[in-house]
Structure formats: structure tokens, C-alpha cells
Amino acid sequence: MFEFLRRKRKTEKLAETLNSMAVQLQAQIRDLEAQRSQLEGILEGMTEGVLVEGPDGAILAINPAARNILGLEGEVPPGTRSGDLIRHPVLQEMIEQVRAGGRPRSRDLTLYSPSERHLRVRGDICRSPAGPAVLLVFHDITDLKRLENLRRDFVANVSHELKTPLTAIQGAVETLLGGALKDADRGKPFVESIAEESGRLRRLVDDLLTLAQVESKQEEIRPETIALQAFLEKEVARHQPAARSRAVSLNLEPVPPGLALPADREHLAQAVGNLLDNAIQYNRPGGRVTLKAFSDSGVCRIEVEDTGIGIPPEDLARIFERFYRVDKGRSRETGGTGLGLSIIKHIAEAHGGSVEVESRLGLGSRFTLMFPLA
Ligand code: ADP
């Protein structure tokens, strides 16, 4: 009888132990699942592409960013080898080097399909149940490369723009020193050329500084409420002498009473002023320039319309680029730097607005600045 009770108690104890083990196991499984889904969440949310290649070359894991970078649609079938997805010799070589050396490596490469992308790939060894695996992390550096190229082009353009007037000044100075200085009549055109070219240099440096200011977010926009009628009247008056000297009539249409705009006064004057400069410069004797301002669905529109030479359709998309000119000769002749419109674009964007152009070759152009009124 006692023996039976002892056995029963033993069995009960065993059952209790088993039960508590089952509870612990369940908790551990829940923890593991939570960890796994957390890891999956991190991988899914990463902007960097992640790919893990097992010891046999088969892909063990790949996140959506890597699929996107590599242009893969849908899931990657189990057992797919990374070499089948990325047939890039540099990448394959890097994977082999990581495997052989056991050390991290980093390489830059360009993929041309599905679209051109510049990648920085870092590879390192990581552990996997099947043995040492290779972890690849892809950083998409396409935007960085684009900015780098822009910067390089910009430096090359600036150097070229500075070189032209400097060469002319140097040539004039050498001629003067070579004897023309002694003869006032012979020397005068060279001195005039120095004055003109140094004026060009000055405008170029001024425009570059303005561009740097409006581009850098440090330069704070100091908005104030600007009553447009008075403001635009002043701009027209400021440009009247230039218009007159080119026999162009410049007029302001009456602004709707009370129309006012929250904007940085200096920047707005620069933007409107540059548009008026262009409308006068790229015009013909007897031509007209009309300035208008009105509000339309919460947007203030400032329009500068001219009856000038117009812009060929194929150039329209590019005229807001730095240093882009339709007719280099004419722009130089009129003292243009090729930076005016890019300055205008930055000013409009810094105010949350934009700038638009419509033009008909030989008939004229209309530039519109659009600023939110709220
Ligand atoms: P620029 O200093 O050469 O005037 P902008 O950036 O102000 O530089 O203008 C870029 C180019 O766009 C000019 O060189 C000119 O070819 C063209 N352009 C600008 N405004 C006008 C306009 N109102 N009419 C015709 N062409 C224009």
C-alpha cells in the first residue's frame, strides 16, 4: 500500500516537472520567435541592402532593400546562389577574398541593370549553423556620386568662367607693358578691356557668393510682409535706365489692392531684378517688358513677360542650370554670368515656391515666380 502511494507521488512529481519544463520551453520558443521577428523587422526596415551567402554559396537571407538594389522581384527561391543574381566580377572576387582571408572588405561598383546604380559593398564573415557565411551590406551611393560629379563640374565651370576674363586682362596688360602704355590713343582700348573684364569678374564673384548664400541653409530667410505694388514699382524704377538704354519699354500692371507677400525683401528683389535684367537684355529695340502680380488659389504669381528673342524649346529645360546659356556669345556680350536663373530658382524654392517659364522663339518669354501666400 505504502509502495503504491510512493510511486503515485513520484509520478505526480514527474508530471509537475514535465509541466514546468513545457512552460519554460514555451517561454523560450516565444522569446526566440520575438527575437527572430525583431531581427526580420530590422532587416526589412533597413535602407542598406543585406545579403548572407552560406558556405556553399547559397543565399541564406536577403532583405527587401537588397532585392530592390539588385532589381529582383518577389522572393528568392531557396538554394539560389548569389553569383546567379549578381554577375559582377568585382563582387564575386570580393566574396572569395572575404572567404579566403576571413577579414572584412569594401568595394565600390556600378550596376547597369535594372538602372545605373553606384554601390559601396562591404563584405564580412559571419557565423551560420552550416558554417562560416559571408555577410554583404550594400550602400546605394548613387546620389552621393551624382553630387560629387555636380561639384566637380561646378569647379570646372567656375575655373573656366574665371579664366576667360583673366586671360583677356593678362593679354591687355602685356600689350600695355609692351609699349601701348606710352601711346594714350593706342593704350585706351586695352585699358577699357581691362575695365570691362574686371567688371565681369566682379559680377561673377558676386553671383557666386549670392548663389552660395541662397543655397546654404545657414543663410536664414527673414520673411516680412511685402506690399507688392510699392515693391514692384521700385524694381521697375531701378531697371528703367537699362530699359531705356536698350529702347525697351518697361511697365508694371496695376497690382490688386492690398496684395502682400511674406518674403525676404533682399532675396525677392534679387529674383525679380534678375528676371527684369534678362527680359531687358534678351530683347530688341522697340520691345516690351511687362511686370504683373496677382494671387491665384493661395499662390502669389509674379510674372515678367517680354517680347524678346525667346528661348528654343530644346533649351527650356536647362536654362535654370548653373552656367547654362542658350547663346554664349550674346550672354557674354550683355555681361551675363549664366547664374541669374539658378539664383532665382533657389530663392523661389527657399520660400517654398517655384519658378516657371514659357517661351516662343522669336516672339518672347514669360517667367513666373510662384510663392505660397500663407
Ligand atoms: P545670363 O547671365 O547668361 O543671363 P541666366 O541664368 O540669367 O544667365 O540665364 C540663362 C540663359 O537663359 C541666358 O544666357 C539666356 O540664353 C536665357 N534667357 C534667360 N532669360 C531670357 C529671356 N527673358 N529671353 C530669352 N532668353 C533668356
Side-chain angles (χ1 to χ4, degrees):
M1 187 62 189
F2 286 139
E3 182 59 24
F4 165 72
L5 279 177
R6 213 159 49 86
R7 264 205 220 133
K8 189 171 169 240
R9 229 171 278 142
K10 242 182 168 174
T11 319
E12 279 170 0
K13 201 146 186 158
L14 194 65
E16 261 171 44
T17 315
L18 280 175
N19 275 344
S20 91
M21 272 171 70
V23 170
Q24 274 177 21
L25 213 60
Q26 262 173 357
Q28 276 178 359
I29 291 172
R30 264 201 309 275
D31 278 357
L32 280 174
E33 273 174 357
Q35 277 178 19
R36 207 187 65 178
S37 71
Q38 193 181 15
L39 205 64
E40 271 175 10
I42 293 172
L43 278 177
E44 302 251 320
M46 278 175 75
T47 44
E48 287 85 7
V50 176
L51 187 153
V52 183
E53 192 197 82
D56 57 353
I59 291 175
L60 299 180
I62 180 165
N63 73 344
R67 286 206 298 266
N68 181 29
I69 287 172
L70 300 170
L72 307 173
E73 277 165 21
E75 292 300 314
V76 173
T80 309
R81 301 171 70 83
S82 72
D84 297 334
L85 297 183
I86 330 156
R87 294 175 196 278
H88 201 293
V90 173
L91 193 67
Q92 293 309 323
E93 190 190 83
M94 188 180 100
I95 294 174
E96 275 159 32
Q97 284 172 345
V98 171
R99 271 195 204 289
R103 280 188 301 115
R105 303 256 169 179
S106 176
R107 298 292 277 272
D108 287 358
L109 54 98
T110 308
L111 296 182
Y112 294 95
S113 168
S115 60
E116 186 173 323
R117 294 205 180 187
H118 300 280
L119 304 177
R120 179 156 297 159
V121 191
R122 195 183 134 84
D124 202 356
I125 290 286
C126 72
R127 275 181 296 147
S128 84
V134 175
L135 167 72
L136 298 177
V137 181
F138 299 83
H139 302 265
D140 191 337
I141 53 166
T142 311
D143 285 346
L144 209 70
K145 278 260 177 212
R146 197 177 48 81
L147 287 177
E148 220 174 88
N149 289 344
L150 276 179
R151 190 192 55 82
R152 207 176 304 131
D153 287 353
F154 183 62
V155 172
N157 279 330
V158 170
S159 316
H160 176 75
E161 296 289 334
L162 291 173
K163 207 171 156 196
T164 316
L166 278 175
T167 310
I169 291 174
Q170 204 177 11
V173 168
E174 277 166 14
T175 316
L176 285 168
L177 290 177
L181 196 57
K182 293 195 194 99
D183 178 345
D185 282 348
R186 244 188 83 208
K188 196 166 173 243
F190 296 104
V191 176
E192 279 167 357
S193 152
I194 292 173
E196 191 183 314
E197 297 297 339
S198 50
R200 188 188 302 283
L201 279 178
R202 162 109 236 164
R203 279 193 301 279
L204 193 62
V205 172
D206 283 349
D207 276 1
L208 282 170
L209 285 175
T210 308
L211 192 63
Q213 266 178 7
V214 294
E215 268 185 345
S216 82
K217 299 281 175 278
Q218 291 144 343
E219 165 77 1
E220 242 187 76
I221 293 275
R222 272 158 286 162
E224 54 179 296
T225 304
I226 298 176
L228 283 178
Q229 176 75 37
F231 175 84
L232 296 178
E233 269 172 15
K234 213 165 131 193
E235 281 308 306
V236 165
R238 193 159 72 89
H239 287 81
Q240 220 45 282
R244 238 175 265 129
S245 77
R246 297 186 61 90
V248 168
S249 72
L250 169 59
N251 294 298
L252 170 67
E253 286 201 353
V255 175
L259 184 61
L261 177 65
D264 183 303
R265 185 175 289 274
E266 211 179 301
H267 284 181
L268 189 63
Q270 175 99 40
V272 174
N274 281 1
L275 286 182
L276 291 177
D277 278 341
N278 284 348
I280 295 165
Q281 307 260 13
Y282 301 102
N283 217 315
R284 284 175 286 239
R288 287 192 309 279
V289 174
T290 312
L291 179 60
K292 267 188 230 178
F294 55 96
S295 72
D296 180 21
S297 325
V299 174
C300 175
R301 297 172 71 97
I302 300 177
E303 292 185 359
V304 177
E305 199 174 318
D306 66 64
T307 58
I309 61 173
I311 300 162
E314 63 272 21
D315 292 301
L316 272 182
R318 301 201 57 194
I319 54 169
F320 292 97
E321 289 174 20
R322 301 158 174 157
F323 298 116
Y324 191 83
R325 299 157 169 127
V326 176
D327 176 350
K328 259 196 175 299
R330 175 154 185 156
S331 163
R332 253 180 228 299
E333 205 181 283
T334 52
T337 60
L339 293 174
L341 287 177
S342 41
I343 292 175
I344 294 170
K345 186 164 175 250
H346 277 289
I347 291 177
E349 285 171 0
H351 285 81
S354 57
V355 55
E356 255 178 21
V357 58
E358 292 157 73
S359 187
R360 285 170 71 196
L361 192 59
L363 293 175
S365 313
R366 179 166 59 212
F367 286 82
T368 308
L369 288 169
M370 280 163 291
F371 294 100
L373 275 170

